[in-house]
Amino acid sequence: MKNDKFLIGIVVGIVLLMIVAISVVLLRGQSEEYVTDDSPAGVVHNYFLAIQRQDYDRAYSYLSDEVKSKPDLDDFILVADNYGYRSESSLKIGQSTIDDDRAQVEVTITTYTGGRLFDSGSYANRDTVHLRATPDNEWKIYQFPYPYWGYNWNEPNDLD
């Protein structure tokens, strides 16, 4: 009889832990909100969040017109929609450096892969986002880390 109560307690504990774990996974990232666009870090945050939410018109609006091979909106959507694992990624914004009309924002993008027995299930990529200010003092993204940026967007367009 004692063993049955102990076993039932273990099973109930495991079920409660599973419910908590599933709740955390489902609620992760849903609390993110857009912030003001008046700083380079705000633009970086909003670009990443717009892609996460598949708000491609908004994400596209953050691209600088100075991108050498800037895609049109339809091509941007094709590339952005192929990111595939966007909902399993998170963004951590680090230090921002502003120099006149240029800015750099350090970011860490963590992608969650599920993991195996001796694997953490995630990998982090540290990189820098480059932005430029427009004449209207709006910050626009000139370079963003892959895979949230087309691999050839900063290559000169050979057809020009």
Side-chain angles (χ1 to χ4, degrees), residues 42-59:
V43 170
V44 169
H45 171 87
N46 290 341
Y47 175 79
F48 186 85
L49 185 59
I51 289 175
Q52 294 281 323
R53 292 183 174 180
Q54 297 179 321
D55 185 355
Y56 298 129
D57 289 324
R58 183 169 185 156

Side-chain angles (χ1 to χ4, degrees), residues 14 35 41 53 66 74 94 107-108 119:
I14 291 172
V35 297
R53 292 183 174 180
E66 296 181 31
D74 291 331
V107 296
T108 302
D119 183 13

